[in-house]
Amino acid sequence: MWKTSFTTLIVGVFVVYVLHTCWVMYGIVYTKPCENPKFENCLKPYLSGKTRLQLSIYTALRPNAEGGHTLIHKEEDFDVESKFERIVNVSLPKKTRKNGTLYAMVFVHQAGMSPWQDPRQVHLVTQLTTYMIPKPLEVSLISGEEAPKQLKRKTTTGGDSAVDRPVSHWRSRLTLNVVSEDFVFDRDFLPSDVHRYLKVFQNGKKMVYLPLLFVDELSNRVKDLMEINSTSIELPLTISYDTISLGKLRFWIHMQDAVYSLQQFGFTEKDADEIKGIFVDTNLYLLALTFFVAAFHLLFDFLAFKNDISFWKQKKSMVGMSSKAVLWRCFSTIVIFMYLFDEQTSLLVLIPAGIGSLIEVWKVKKAFKIQIIWKAVRPTFIFGKSDESERRTEEYDTLAMKYLSYLLYPMCIGGAVYVSSIILSTSSVAHLPWKAFMYKAFNTFIDDIFAFIITMPTSHRLACFRDDVVFLVYLYQRWLYPVDKTRMNEYGLSYDEEEKPKGKAHED
């Protein structure tokens, strides 16, 4: 009877997930048009009439403009097809300077008319400010003095305790889009995501929808934020405009909703900013590649962890394996995880690193045969004894380390080279846990692509390419040394031992 392995099941679920995601993405990008434009259910675009338009932008303390509004910019001859970028200086009200908020009201209306009196205007309201904890104070290691800007902020905000309090920051970019294509909607197949941006009016027997105006919140990055204090009388605002296709508009709406949901679940501004960077700094084709890279990266991470745990769970002896290498790999993995955590690296990198650290700690417990006995709240550690074969392995391990120390210490190559040196000393690479190894090898090359997409420290980014070199050297060893199936490898196994019937004693 045919049996389904756990790995096959996981890969099957992964394939179904990828196919379902592709189908959902297709449903987002593709919108069914109205097949018969003369049909009453068709919604025709207002822009097809070539009406003269004007773009007006106001600021207000409240989203409904109660309490007054101020005009900061207008484009009298607004051409939907022409992209532009303008830099304006915005005066901040006193309430905004005192850790308050400020809103922008963007109108697209008929030229020559006030947007407040035009019945065929469309407008959106967006925040020009956001609250975020300021960056920690920077102190010079040479002089011990604080940076001038940081010292100024400390004096204006009222001491050290104010640094941990969220303060108002200025969003220095405002990105606007309008759908320029003459798309005719079918009212029976109107997308729900576009519905909230759609404003329709009756023109005779025809139903016409006004221009689809969109404020791109994903372009608001942390690097563009400016801290507001009592001395910030005027701040610059870069207004960017460009056209957008209907498919991209729908995709952008879904992405903005996803980022907002993540923030509601506790994602910090920095974590959300990294996700925004994936969408904003790349085109749609690279974005699709990013999705597949991230999906396969997580899949191979999971399979590598699963097979690594299965391999070590079955080990009963440390014959042929370097316990020092296991201990060093555990130490280096924990150090890398702590470094990534301290650098506030993306969770897509941090979570697999943390799981890998826990697995390495478990390996050390298996390698040194450690038993933990709890006496009240105080643990007691008991180390198991090694047999003759394991002690002989330790001697080989010490000899290998002696010859390698002259290269290892000055260059600080780390655990990867140390393990490779032991493999060289045994002149065999025949009996590694190949499933776990190959999943990690695939992840090595996926990490090369991932390194340019996900935010991570430069040293960890370079480490991805270091792993490529180690992998190629390993393949060369595999080709160089012939396979001796009767010989114990560094994992304490041999093919002859595996092929023997169960119940027979192993001949040393």
Side-chain angles (χ1 to χ4, degrees):
M1 187 175 179
W2 183 70
K3 288 186 177 181
T4 303
S5 65
F6 182 71
T7 302
T8 305
L9 181 62
I10 292 298
V11 173
V13 172
F14 171 77
V15 171
V16 172
Y17 167 75
V18 171
L19 293 177
H20 177 265
T21 303
C22 293
W23 175 255
V24 172
M25 294 296 296
Y26 173 77
I28 293 175
V29 175
Y30 175 76
T31 305
K32 184 179 180 179
C34 189
E35 297 177 356
N36 186 6
K38 296 182 180 181
F39 192 53
E40 294 181 356
N41 273 5
C42 293
L43 302 179
K44 296 185 177 180
Y46 180 71
L47 294 177
S48 61
K50 306 299 180 184
T51 307
R52 288 183 64 245
L53 299 175
Q54 179 175 322
L55 175 70
S56 302
I57 304 175
Y58 295 82
T59 58
L61 290 173
R62 296 183 180 180
N64 55 5
E66 289 184 2
H69 52 270
T70 304
L71 178 67
I72 60 172
H73 182 72
K74 67 178 180 178
E75 295 281 333
E76 294 185 352
D77 293 321
F78 177 50
D79 184 7
V80 176
E81 300 288 346
S82 301
K83 61 183 298 185
F84 65 82
E85 185 170 289
R86 308 280 189 264
I87 299 177
V88 297
N89 290 322
V90 180
S91 298
L92 301 185
K94 189 175 181 180
K95 290 184 178 179
T96 304
R97 297 199 300 268
K98 292 184 176 181
N99 210 25
T101 58
L102 191 66
Y103 295 89
M105 309 186 71
V106 184
F107 289 86
V108 175
H109 56 97
Q110 298 180 76
M113 292 185 63
S114 169
W116 306 97
Q117 299 173 354
D118 185 4
R120 296 182 179 176
Q121 54 83 17
V122 290
H123 76 278
L124 290 176
V125 180
T126 183
Q127 277 191 245
L128 292 177
T129 57
T130 185
Y131 287 95
M132 192 176 70
I133 297 177
K135 293 181 179 180
L137 298 177
E138 298 177 358
V139 180
S140 173
L141 297 178
I142 299 177
S143 62
E145 298 179 353
E146 296 176 357
K149 292 183 179 180
Q150 305 286 338
L151 185 60
K152 183 179 180 180
R153 186 188 71 196
K154 180 178 177 180
T155 56
T156 56
T157 54
D160 293 333
S161 60
V163 177
D164 297 329
R165 184 185 62 185
V167 299
S168 186
H169 283 68
W170 177 253
R171 289 177 170 174
S172 60
R173 295 193 67 86
L174 178 62
T175 305
L176 309 174
N177 302 109
V178 171
V179 177
S180 60
E181 58 186 279
D182 293 336
F183 189 86
V184 181
F185 287 101
D186 190 334
R187 293 174 63 181
D188 294 334
F189 298 95
L190 190 63
S192 58
D193 44 35
V194 178
H195 189 271
R196 66 180 114 158
Y197 294 92
L198 209 62
K199 187 176 180 181
V200 182
F201 69 93
Q202 187 83 29
N203 186 12
K205 293 184 178 181
K206 297 186 298 184
M207 296 294 294
V208 181
Y209 68 91
L210 293 171
L212 291 173
L213 177 63
F214 179 69
V215 178
D216 187 1
E217 300 283 354
L218 294 178
S219 297
N220 294 326
R221 307 294 305 280
V222 170
K223 63 182 180 182
D224 298 323
L225 295 179
M226 303 170 63
E227 187 177 338
I228 300 175
N229 52 48
S230 58
T231 61
S232 303
I233 306 298
E234 262 189 1
L235 288 176
L237 177 65
T238 302
I239 303 172
S240 302
Y241 169 78
D242 198 0
T243 59
I244 189 173
S245 65
L246 180 60
K248 186 176 180 180
L249 171 67
R250 295 187 59 196
F251 180 76
W252 240 231
I253 292 173
H254 282 271
M255 293 305 103
Q256 284 192 174
D257 292 345
V259 171
Y260 177 78
S261 299
L262 291 175
Q263 289 176 322
Q264 299 304 307
F265 278 109
F267 267 55
T268 64
E269 188 74 24
K270 188 177 186 303
D271 289 331
D273 185 70
E274 292 174 357
I275 299 175
K276 289 180 181 179
I278 296 176
F279 300 123
V280 175
D281 298 338
T282 57
N283 57 40
L284 290 178
Y285 295 105
L286 188 56
L287 201 60
L289 177 63
T290 302
F291 163 74
F292 286 107
V293 166
F296 279 99
H297 188 278
L298 294 177
L299 173 66
F300 288 134
D301 266 339
F302 175 80
L303 294 177
F305 291 150
K306 177 255 182 187
N307 285 277
D308 205 17
I309 292 174
S310 298
F311 176 82
W312 276 84
K313 193 175 181 180
Q314 297 173 1
K315 284 196 63 62
K316 303 301 181 183
S317 173
M318 285 295 292
V319 175
M321 172 169 282
S322 170
S323 57
K324 293 179 182 178
V326 177
L327 183 61
W328 172 253
R329 187 164 54 246
C330 175
F331 171 76
S332 61
T333 304
I334 293 175
V335 170
I336 292 173
F337 170 72
M338 295 176 65
Y339 173 66
L340 295 175
F341 181 80
D342 183 65
E343 291 289 325
Q344 297 181 346
T345 308
S346 170
L347 294 177
L348 292 173
V349 178
L350 190 63
I351 292 176
I355 297 174
S357 300
L358 294 176
I359 293 176
E360 293 300 330
V361 172
W362 175 70
K363 287 181 184 179
V364 171
K365 179 178 177 296
K366 289 278 293 185
F368 288 89
K369 303 176 182 178
I370 302 176
Q371 293 183 355
I372 303 177
I373 300 177
W374 290 90
K375 296 181 179 179
V377 293
R378 188 178 63 179
T380 302
F381 298 92
I382 301 176
F383 292 84
K385 295 181 179 180
S386 302
D387 56 24
E388 183 62 28
S389 299
E390 290 176 330
R391 283 193 292 270
R392 200 159 53 235
T393 300
E394 290 296 324
E395 294 176 2
Y396 293 143
D397 186 21
T398 304
L399 185 63
M401 188 59 196
K402 177 182 177 182
Y403 290 117
L404 184 66
S405 60
Y406 303 107
L407 177 66
L408 180 65
Y409 293 149
M411 298 183 66
C412 298
I413 299 299
V417 175
Y418 178 52
V419 175
S420 298
S421 70
I422 298 173
I423 296 172
L424 285 170
S425 68
T426 58
S427 299
S428 176
V429 292
H431 308 294
L432 283 178
W434 278 103
K435 286 185 179 180
F437 172 74
M438 290 310 298
Y439 291 137
K440 292 180 180 180
F442 290 143
N443 246 4
T444 296
F445 296 104
I446 290 177
D447 282 339
D448 297 342
I449 305 175
F450 224 44
F452 294 99
I453 299 174
I454 299 298
T455 303
M456 62 179 67
T458 304
S459 58
H460 191 66
R461 185 168 288 157
L462 294 176
C464 296
F465 298 99
R466 174 208 63 194
D467 293 341
D468 295 342
V469 177
V470 173
F471 175 65
L472 294 176
V473 171
Y474 196 90
L475 291 181
Y476 175 72
Q477 292 175 228
R478 175 74 175 173
W479 171 81
L480 182 63
Y481 296 109
V483 176
D484 183 4
K485 295 186 177 181
T486 63
R487 182 178 185 178
M488 283 283 191
N489 75 331
E490 62 273 21
Y491 291 93
L493 299 174
S494 68
Y495 284 160
D496 284 355
E497 181 184 359
E498 295 174 356
E499 293 173 356
K500 285 184 178 183
K502 293 184 178 180
K504 290 187 177 182
H506 175 72
E507 296 180 6
D508 192 5

PDB file of all heavy atoms in Angstrom, residues 251 277-294 449-450 452-454:
ATOM      1  N   PHE A 251      -3.820  46.138  -6.692  1.00  0.00           N
ATOM      2  CA  PHE A 251      -2.759  45.453  -5.950  1.00  0.00           C
ATOM      3  C   PHE A 251      -2.252  46.337  -4.812  1.00  0.00           C
ATOM      4  O   PHE A 251      -2.051  45.859  -3.682  1.00  0.00           O
ATOM      5  CB  PHE A 251      -1.634  45.096  -6.907  1.00  0.00           C
ATOM      6  CG  PHE A 251      -0.485  44.377  -6.258  1.00  0.00           C
ATOM      7  CD1 PHE A 251      -0.585  43.044  -5.922  1.00  0.00           C
ATOM      8  CD2 PHE A 251       0.700  45.044  -5.971  1.00  0.00           C
ATOM      9  CE1 PHE A 251       0.467  42.384  -5.313  1.00  0.00           C
ATOM     10  CE2 PHE A 251       1.749  44.398  -5.372  1.00  0.00           C
ATOM     11  CZ  PHE A 251       1.644  43.062  -5.047  1.00  0.00           C
ATOM     12  N   GLY A 277       9.253  48.658   1.853  1.00  0.00           N
ATOM     13  CA  GLY A 277      10.408  48.728   0.960  1.00  0.00           C
ATOM     14  C   GLY A 277      10.400  47.640  -0.092  1.00  0.00           C
ATOM     15  O   GLY A 277      10.859  47.846  -1.226  1.00  0.00           O
ATOM     16  N   ILE A 278       9.900  46.457   0.263  1.00  0.00           N
ATOM     17  CA  ILE A 278       9.820  45.356  -0.704  1.00  0.00           C
ATOM     18  C   ILE A 278       8.916  45.744  -1.869  1.00  0.00           C
ATOM     19  O   ILE A 278       9.212  45.469  -3.035  1.00  0.00           O
ATOM     20  CB  ILE A 278       9.308  44.074  -0.021  1.00  0.00           C
ATOM     21  CG1 ILE A 278      10.302  43.604   1.047  1.00  0.00           C
ATOM     22  CG2 ILE A 278       9.069  42.975  -1.041  1.00  0.00           C
ATOM     23  CD1 ILE A 278       9.834  42.406   1.823  1.00  0.00           C
ATOM     24  N   PHE A 279       7.797  46.431  -1.575  1.00  0.00           N
ATOM     25  CA  PHE A 279       6.841  46.784  -2.613  1.00  0.00           C
ATOM     26  C   PHE A 279       7.246  48.037  -3.379  1.00  0.00           C
ATOM     27  O   PHE A 279       7.097  48.110  -4.595  1.00  0.00           O
ATOM     28  CB  PHE A 279       5.452  46.986  -2.003  1.00  0.00           C
ATOM     29  CG  PHE A 279       4.918  45.766  -1.321  1.00  0.00           C
ATOM     30  CD1 PHE A 279       4.539  45.789   0.006  1.00  0.00           C
ATOM     31  CD2 PHE A 279       4.812  44.577  -2.007  1.00  0.00           C
ATOM     32  CE1 PHE A 279       4.056  44.664   0.637  1.00  0.00           C
ATOM     33  CE2 PHE A 279       4.326  43.442  -1.389  1.00  0.00           C
ATOM     34  CZ  PHE A 279       3.949  43.489  -0.065  1.00  0.00           C
ATOM     35  N   VAL A 280       7.772  49.035  -2.671  1.00  0.00           N
ATOM     36  CA  VAL A 280       8.036  50.331  -3.295  1.00  0.00           C
ATOM     37  C   VAL A 280       9.327  50.328  -4.098  1.00  0.00           C
ATOM     38  O   VAL A 280       9.392  50.899  -5.193  1.00  0.00           O
ATOM     39  CB  VAL A 280       8.071  51.436  -2.217  1.00  0.00           C
ATOM     40  CG1 VAL A 280       8.464  52.780  -2.820  1.00  0.00           C
ATOM     41  CG2 VAL A 280       6.712  51.547  -1.533  1.00  0.00           C
ATOM     42  N   ASP A 281      10.368  49.682  -3.582  1.00  0.00           N
ATOM     43  CA  ASP A 281      11.691  49.765  -4.201  1.00  0.00           C
ATOM     44  C   ASP A 281      11.898  48.768  -5.326  1.00  0.00           C
ATOM     45  O   ASP A 281      13.000  48.680  -5.874  1.00  0.00           O
ATOM     46  CB  ASP A 281      12.784  49.560  -3.137  1.00  0.00           C
ATOM     47  CG  ASP A 281      12.740  50.643  -2.073  1.00  0.00           C
ATOM     48  OD1 ASP A 281      12.191  51.715  -2.367  1.00  0.00           O
ATOM     49  OD2 ASP A 281      13.243  50.415  -0.958  1.00  0.00           O
ATOM     50  N   THR A 282      10.904  47.972  -5.660  1.00  0.00           N
ATOM     51  CA  THR A 282      11.041  46.973  -6.712  1.00  0.00           C
ATOM     52  C   THR A 282       9.860  47.070  -7.662  1.00  0.00           C
ATOM     53  O   THR A 282       8.784  47.547  -7.294  1.00  0.00           O
ATOM     54  CB  THR A 282      11.096  45.545  -6.133  1.00  0.00           C
ATOM     55  OG1 THR A 282       9.919  45.317  -5.346  1.00  0.00           O
ATOM     56  CG2 THR A 282      12.319  45.353  -5.265  1.00  0.00           C
ATOM     57  N   ASN A 283      10.075  46.616  -8.905  1.00  0.00           N
ATOM     58  CA  ASN A 283       8.954  46.578  -9.841  1.00  0.00           C
ATOM     59  C   ASN A 283       8.130  45.315  -9.612  1.00  0.00           C
ATOM     60  O   ASN A 283       8.487  44.456  -8.809  1.00  0.00           O
ATOM     61  CB  ASN A 283       9.450  46.660 -11.289  1.00  0.00           C
ATOM     62  CG  ASN A 283      10.429  45.545 -11.622  1.00  0.00           C
ATOM     63  OD1 ASN A 283      10.241  44.398 -11.209  1.00  0.00           O
ATOM     64  ND2 ASN A 283      11.485  45.865 -12.359  1.00  0.00           N
ATOM     65  N   LEU A 284       7.026  45.201 -10.343  1.00  0.00           N
ATOM     66  CA  LEU A 284       6.086  44.106 -10.099  1.00  0.00           C
ATOM     67  C   LEU A 284       6.688  42.743 -10.428  1.00  0.00           C
ATOM     68  O   LEU A 284       6.378  41.745  -9.775  1.00  0.00           O
ATOM     69  CB  LEU A 284       4.809  44.324 -10.913  1.00  0.00           C
ATOM     70  CG  LEU A 284       3.920  45.487 -10.448  1.00  0.00           C
ATOM     71  CD1 LEU A 284       2.713  45.623 -11.376  1.00  0.00           C
ATOM     72  CD2 LEU A 284       3.459  45.271  -9.022  1.00  0.00           C
ATOM     73  N   TYR A 285       7.561  42.692 -11.452  1.00  0.00           N
ATOM     74  CA  TYR A 285       8.165  41.414 -11.814  1.00  0.00           C
ATOM     75  C   TYR A 285       9.127  40.938 -10.722  1.00  0.00           C
ATOM     76  O   TYR A 285       9.118  39.763 -10.335  1.00  0.00           O
ATOM     77  CB  TYR A 285       8.910  41.540 -13.149  1.00  0.00           C
ATOM     78  CG  TYR A 285       7.987  41.834 -14.308  1.00  0.00           C
ATOM     79  CD1 TYR A 285       7.922  43.111 -14.859  1.00  0.00           C
ATOM     80  CD2 TYR A 285       7.168  40.847 -14.842  1.00  0.00           C
ATOM     81  CE1 TYR A 285       7.075  43.391 -15.915  1.00  0.00           C
ATOM     82  CE2 TYR A 285       6.309  41.110 -15.902  1.00  0.00           C
ATOM     83  CZ  TYR A 285       6.272  42.387 -16.437  1.00  0.00           C
ATOM     84  OH  TYR A 285       5.429  42.656 -17.478  1.00  0.00           O
ATOM     85  N   LEU A 286       9.949  41.857 -10.221  1.00  0.00           N
ATOM     86  CA  LEU A 286      10.847  41.493  -9.127  1.00  0.00           C
ATOM     87  C   LEU A 286      10.064  41.210  -7.858  1.00  0.00           C
ATOM     88  O   LEU A 286      10.479  40.409  -7.014  1.00  0.00           O
ATOM     89  CB  LEU A 286      11.871  42.607  -8.893  1.00  0.00           C
ATOM     90  CG  LEU A 286      12.999  42.305  -7.911  1.00  0.00           C
ATOM     91  CD1 LEU A 286      13.766  41.047  -8.329  1.00  0.00           C
ATOM     92  CD2 LEU A 286      13.945  43.484  -7.799  1.00  0.00           C
ATOM     93  N   LEU A 287       8.914  41.870  -7.728  1.00  0.00           N
ATOM     94  CA  LEU A 287       8.059  41.623  -6.569  1.00  0.00           C
ATOM     95  C   LEU A 287       7.519  40.199  -6.583  1.00  0.00           C
ATOM     96  O   LEU A 287       7.466  39.527  -5.548  1.00  0.00           O
ATOM     97  CB  LEU A 287       6.906  42.624  -6.577  1.00  0.00           C
ATOM     98  CG  LEU A 287       6.201  42.872  -5.252  1.00  0.00           C
ATOM     99  CD1 LEU A 287       7.170  43.395  -4.216  1.00  0.00           C
ATOM    100  CD2 LEU A 287       5.069  43.855  -5.452  1.00  0.00           C
ATOM    101  N   ALA A 288       7.120  39.730  -7.791  1.00  0.00           N
ATOM    102  CA  ALA A 288       6.665  38.344  -7.912  1.00  0.00           C
ATOM    103  C   ALA A 288       7.796  37.377  -7.594  1.00  0.00           C
ATOM    104  O   ALA A 288       7.596  36.358  -6.919  1.00  0.00           O
ATOM    105  CB  ALA A 288       6.129  38.096  -9.321  1.00  0.00           C
ATOM    106  N   LEU A 289       9.008  37.696  -8.071  1.00  0.00           N
ATOM    107  CA  LEU A 289      10.171  36.868  -7.750  1.00  0.00           C
ATOM    108  C   LEU A 289      10.424  36.859  -6.247  1.00  0.00           C
ATOM    109  O   LEU A 289      10.774  35.810  -5.674  1.00  0.00           O
ATOM    110  CB  LEU A 289      11.403  37.380  -8.495  1.00  0.00           C
ATOM    111  CG  LEU A 289      12.722  36.663  -8.208  1.00  0.00           C
ATOM    112  CD1 LEU A 289      12.654  35.200  -8.634  1.00  0.00           C
ATOM    113  CD2 LEU A 289      13.881  37.368  -8.916  1.00  0.00           C
ATOM    114  N   THR A 290      10.233  38.011  -5.603  1.00  0.00           N
ATOM    115  CA  THR A 290      10.420  38.095  -4.153  1.00  0.00           C
ATOM    116  C   THR A 290       9.485  37.147  -3.421  1.00  0.00           C
ATOM    117  O   THR A 290       9.873  36.477  -2.459  1.00  0.00           O
ATOM    118  CB  THR A 290      10.178  39.538  -3.670  1.00  0.00           C
ATOM    119  OG1 THR A 290      11.062  40.414  -4.350  1.00  0.00           O
ATOM    120  CG2 THR A 290      10.399  39.649  -2.169  1.00  0.00           C
ATOM    121  N   PHE A 291       8.237  37.081  -3.875  1.00  0.00           N
ATOM    122  CA  PHE A 291       7.271  36.188  -3.233  1.00  0.00           C
ATOM    123  C   PHE A 291       7.716  34.734  -3.333  1.00  0.00           C
ATOM    124  O   PHE A 291       7.710  33.994  -2.334  1.00  0.00           O
ATOM    125  CB  PHE A 291       5.895  36.361  -3.883  1.00  0.00           C
ATOM    126  CG  PHE A 291       4.947  35.238  -3.585  1.00  0.00           C
ATOM    127  CD1 PHE A 291       4.368  35.118  -2.336  1.00  0.00           C
ATOM    128  CD2 PHE A 291       4.651  34.290  -4.546  1.00  0.00           C
ATOM    129  CE1 PHE A 291       3.500  34.081  -2.050  1.00  0.00           C
ATOM    130  CE2 PHE A 291       3.793  33.245  -4.280  1.00  0.00           C
ATOM    131  CZ  PHE A 291       3.210  33.142  -3.023  1.00  0.00           C
ATOM    132  N   PHE A 292       8.104  34.300  -4.548  1.00  0.00           N
ATOM    133  CA  PHE A 292       8.518  32.911  -4.716  1.00  0.00           C
ATOM    134  C   PHE A 292       9.806  32.615  -3.942  1.00  0.00           C
ATOM    135  O   PHE A 292       9.959  31.535  -3.371  1.00  0.00           O
ATOM    136  CB  PHE A 292       8.698  32.597  -6.202  1.00  0.00           C
ATOM    137  CG  PHE A 292       7.407  32.458  -6.948  1.00  0.00           C
ATOM    138  CD1 PHE A 292       6.981  33.447  -7.822  1.00  0.00           C
ATOM    139  CD2 PHE A 292       6.588  31.357  -6.757  1.00  0.00           C
ATOM    140  CE1 PHE A 292       5.776  33.334  -8.503  1.00  0.00           C
ATOM    141  CE2 PHE A 292       5.390  31.228  -7.425  1.00  0.00           C
ATOM    142  CZ  PHE A 292       4.980  32.218  -8.299  1.00  0.00           C
ATOM    143  N   VAL A 293      10.734  33.590  -3.918  1.00  0.00           N
ATOM    144  CA  VAL A 293      11.975  33.402  -3.160  1.00  0.00           C
ATOM    145  C   VAL A 293      11.661  33.241  -1.673  1.00  0.00           C
ATOM    146  O   VAL A 293      12.188  32.336  -1.010  1.00  0.00           O
ATOM    147  CB  VAL A 293      12.920  34.593  -3.397  1.00  0.00           C
ATOM    148  CG1 VAL A 293      14.054  34.592  -2.374  1.00  0.00           C
ATOM    149  CG2 VAL A 293      13.515  34.536  -4.797  1.00  0.00           C
ATOM    150  N   ALA A 294      10.783  34.108  -1.137  1.00  0.00           N
ATOM    151  CA  ALA A 294      10.436  34.021   0.284  1.00  0.00           C
ATOM    152  C   ALA A 294       9.723  32.705   0.598  1.00  0.00           C
ATOM    153  O   ALA A 294       9.991  32.068   1.621  1.00  0.00           O
ATOM    154  CB  ALA A 294       9.545  35.210   0.668  1.00  0.00           C
ATOM    155  N   ILE A 449      19.752  35.753  -3.378  1.00  0.00           N
ATOM    156  CA  ILE A 449      18.719  36.661  -3.895  1.00  0.00           C
ATOM    157  C   ILE A 449      18.057  37.405  -2.750  1.00  0.00           C
ATOM    158  O   ILE A 449      17.792  38.606  -2.820  1.00  0.00           O
ATOM    159  CB  ILE A 449      17.665  35.859  -4.693  1.00  0.00           C
ATOM    160  CG1 ILE A 449      18.338  35.043  -5.807  1.00  0.00           C
ATOM    161  CG2 ILE A 449      16.617  36.787  -5.285  1.00  0.00           C
ATOM    162  CD1 ILE A 449      17.381  34.130  -6.555  1.00  0.00           C
ATOM    163  N   PHE A 450      17.818  36.682  -1.668  1.00  0.00           N
ATOM    164  CA  PHE A 450      17.154  37.262  -0.501  1.00  0.00           C
ATOM    165  C   PHE A 450      17.961  38.410   0.094  1.00  0.00           C
ATOM    166  O   PHE A 450      17.405  39.353   0.638  1.00  0.00           O
ATOM    167  CB  PHE A 450      16.969  36.167   0.546  1.00  0.00           C
ATOM    168  CG  PHE A 450      15.606  36.180   1.178  1.00  0.00           C
ATOM    169  CD1 PHE A 450      14.476  36.333   0.405  1.00  0.00           C
ATOM    170  CD2 PHE A 450      15.462  36.027   2.545  1.00  0.00           C
ATOM    171  CE1 PHE A 450      13.218  36.321   0.976  1.00  0.00           C
ATOM    172  CE2 PHE A 450      14.208  36.020   3.120  1.00  0.00           C
ATOM    173  CZ  PHE A 450      13.081  36.174   2.333  1.00  0.00           C
ATOM    174  N   PHE A 452      19.523  40.782  -1.248  1.00  0.00           N
ATOM    175  CA  PHE A 452      19.325  42.075  -1.880  1.00  0.00           C
ATOM    176  C   PHE A 452      17.900  42.592  -1.711  1.00  0.00           C
ATOM    177  O   PHE A 452      17.602  43.708  -2.120  1.00  0.00           O
ATOM    178  CB  PHE A 452      19.651  41.984  -3.377  1.00  0.00           C
ATOM    179  CG  PHE A 452      21.101  41.696  -3.648  1.00  0.00           C
ATOM    180  CD1 PHE A 452      21.523  40.410  -3.945  1.00  0.00           C
ATOM    181  CD2 PHE A 452      22.032  42.703  -3.584  1.00  0.00           C
ATOM    182  CE1 PHE A 452      22.851  40.146  -4.199  1.00  0.00           C
ATOM    183  CE2 PHE A 452      23.370  42.448  -3.829  1.00  0.00           C
ATOM    184  CZ  PHE A 452      23.784  41.170  -4.138  1.00  0.00           C
ATOM    185  N   ILE A 453      17.020  41.782  -1.133  1.00  0.00           N
ATOM    186  CA  ILE A 453      15.609  42.164  -1.020  1.00  0.00           C
ATOM    187  C   ILE A 453      15.241  42.512   0.416  1.00  0.00           C
ATOM    188  O   ILE A 453      14.574  43.513   0.666  1.00  0.00           O
ATOM    189  CB  ILE A 453      14.707  41.024  -1.539  1.00  0.00           C
ATOM    190  CG1 ILE A 453      15.016  40.752  -3.020  1.00  0.00           C
ATOM    191  CG2 ILE A 453      13.248  41.361  -1.351  1.00  0.00           C
ATOM    192  CD1 ILE A 453      14.284  39.549  -3.571  1.00  0.00           C
ATOM    193  N   ILE A 454      15.687  41.679   1.369  1.00  0.00           N
ATOM    194  CA  ILE A 454      15.324  41.859   2.776  1.00  0.00           C
ATOM    195  C   ILE A 454      16.399  42.678   3.488  1.00  0.00           C
ATOM    196  O   ILE A 454      17.597  42.503   3.247  1.00  0.00           O
ATOM    197  CB  ILE A 454      15.155  40.496   3.465  1.00  0.00           C
ATOM    198  CG1 ILE A 454      14.031  39.721   2.788  1.00  0.00           C
ATOM    199  CG2 ILE A 454      14.835  40.659   4.938  1.00  0.00           C
ATOM    200  CD1 ILE A 454      12.677  40.385   2.863  1.00  0.00           C
TER     201      ILE A 454
END
